[in-house]
DNA sequence: TCAAAAGTGTTGTGTGTACACCCATGT
DNA sequence: ACATGGGTGTACACACAACACTTTTGA
């Protein structure tokens, strides 16, 4: 029997904070790449579903739970890990930055959110992986309600639009944005206004709590 | 050190034959699923790129080479293989059904093309994998020149349209189809006419030999 | 001359895009 | 009263969808 590769899962977890798209990184406590930042992940157990492994690793390494996850791509370059052959099945995750407190595990000396638009030096091929994940997110935003993973249950149209703008890194026209979103019928008004310093805004929710693709294409070129 | 899963690659290879979309299957010579049909694939070697493994397995098991391949998805259900934990990284492949001769390897008692629209009973979770692959193909046909993997270098517009129709399983309007294809500027006329029994047809080629996505969306609802 | 596939335009409908002003509130 | 973000409509250009007849060839 020939030798087997090791198999890991790694997770690119996005969230929105302020006007920025953030990625969750952990600081490695042990070699290789000791003290470098990396995306969270770890070995798949022998009897564990791949997505369960991703959920478990996220929880263990960073204390983050309750996340939308989807499989991204499998990276298997023979030399991507100096310790030997490691094939990694990568996931994209989305959360509304919220209730949980980040907490570094025993494997990590630190955990933190970093801007997806200005990343530190990263371990392994993790930079490529994050770029791949960002492409996926940008792609799917155009034909699915995937943003719901990044927003709270209730939100205003301006918040929704800001989410699109941050992810696409592009300004959108307010009137056209609203017209399209309504035409897609993916959100609905709920009673109540969001109060801020200025005029209160109508509150909305997604019609569905599940992430799925539209029947109708939506490519915002506003 | 905990026990490691095994890692395989499997390939869903499509081709067009007559008016049908075909998938390449091999008949298993050994248990588990002895005498069932399955998609070609096998174990990844310890120092081998994933896509090289896919190319190698295709060649070894079926004698098919010179194929467009892209990674599809990784299936890792702990019980998907009765022998133990096997994680499989699946690929979609496209070929123009052409020069090579199918040839069963030592592991397979037979190799054959089957209609993607009426498959036999398949080993493991291979039915799910093929359905997944077909969805990918249908999706990508709308925003990439991926059909070029299924066609010869030179072809007529009717052949191109038939390829779309077979994959989408839907009739398209000839005039609208031509208008859109020309607008996309992905094919160019070449000198020469294709002669058949009837009126000869203009011959075309793809502008690019590489598969890539359009700048412009193309969703044929003709 | 007939059978079969190749080739060709127009019109109505809907969607994308550009663009500017008034409204409601808290300070 | 003013600063700030919330909220609204219209016109033009372009893409999509529906639709039928003529042309070219081999047999």
């Amino acid at each position: 029997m020939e030798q087997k590769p090791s198999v890991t899962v790694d997770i690119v977890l996005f969230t929105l904070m302020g006007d920025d798209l953030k990625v969750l990184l952990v600081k490695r406590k042990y070699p290789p790449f000791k003290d470098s930042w990396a995306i969270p992940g770890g070995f798949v157990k022998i009897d564990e579903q791949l997505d369960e492994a991703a959920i478990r690793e996220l929880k263990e390494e960073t204390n983050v739970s309750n996340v939308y996850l989807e499989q991204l791509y499998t990276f298997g370059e023979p030399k991507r890990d100096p310790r030997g052959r490691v094939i990694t099945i990568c996931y994209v995750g989305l959360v509304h930055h919220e209730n949980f407190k980040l907490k570094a595990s025993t494997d990590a000396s630190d955990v933190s959110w970093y801007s997806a638009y200005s990343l530190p030096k990263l371990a392994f091929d993790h930079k490529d992986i994050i770029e791949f994940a960002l492409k996926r997110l940008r792609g799917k935003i155009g034909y699915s309600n995937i943003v719901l993973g990044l927003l709270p249950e209730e939100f205003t149209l301006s918040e929704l639009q800001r989410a699109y703008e941050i992810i696409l890194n592009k300004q959108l026209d307010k009137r056209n944005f609203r017209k399209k979103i309504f035409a897609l019928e993916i959100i609905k008004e709920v009673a109540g206004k969001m109060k801020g310093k200025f005029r209160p805004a109508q509150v909305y929710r997604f019609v569905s709590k599940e992430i799925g693709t539209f029947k109708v294409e939506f490519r915002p070129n506003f």
Side-chain angles (χ1 to χ4, degrees), chain A residues 119-134:
Chain A
L119 293 165
K121 270 234 179 298
L122 292 169
F124 307 105
D125 48 2
H126 288 186
K127 186 158 195 284
D128 300 337
I129 296 173
I130 292 173
E131 278 168 15
F132 201 104
L134 184 52

Side-chain angles (χ1 to χ4, degrees), chain A residues 124-150:
Chain A
F124 307 105
D125 48 2
H126 288 186
K127 186 158 195 284
D128 300 337
I129 296 173
I130 292 173
E131 278 168 15
F132 201 104
L134 184 52
K135 272 189 206 153
R136 168 77 64 93
L137 178 60
R138 282 189 180 152
K140 280 200 97 156
I141 213 180
Y143 60 88
S144 78
N145 59 351
I146 197 168
V147 248
L148 82 79
L150 294 166

